[in-house]
Amino acid sequence: MAITTSIATTSFSSCVSGEDYGMLIRKVQPLVNAGMGKAVRSRPMMGNVNAGKGIFAPIVVVTRNIVGKKRFNQLRGKAIALHSQVITEFCKSIGADQKQRQGLIRLAKKNGERLGFLA
């Protein structure tokens, strides 16, 4: 950081005693404030990382625009619940435990994101 010559030539004793304090503050304040700024925190993003990607994303977006966002989310919720029930029934039929069932549901969600169903 560069110090102006008028600040450098001000003696230490005159600064300590307060004689040139006003002048010193006027010279130093812009240097101090230049680096200061209000901290900006980015907001966390919730949602699909692959939004708008995937082979089914265009169909999903068009359907959402036609049906309306509220009704579309209701239909999507019902479809997800139905799919979870199918996975649960499959796990019961093969004798998979709760942890394996949860893993399959998570895998189905990841696949749905990649394919664009959650766009």
Side-chain angles (χ1 to χ4, degrees), residues 17-37:
S17 65
E19 294 171 12
D20 293 329
Y21 182 74
M23 181 186 76
L24 180 65
I25 290 298
R26 284 192 299 270
K27 300 276 185 182
V28 173
Q29 197 65 32
L31 296 173
V32 172
N33 289 340
M36 301 294 232

Side-chain angles (χ1 to χ4, degrees), residues 50-85:
N50 298 319
K53 299 177 185 175
I55 59 173
F56 293 105
I59 297 168
V60 170
V61 171
V62 168
T63 305
R64 182 176 53 219
N65 291 338
I66 292 171
V67 175
K69 195 171 187 176
K70 184 178 179 181
R71 179 72 178 137
F72 177 78
N73 285 336
Q74 290 173 346
L75 291 171
R76 184 190 325 220
K78 288 179 183 179
I80 291 171
L82 180 63
H83 193 233
S84 295
Q85 288 175 356

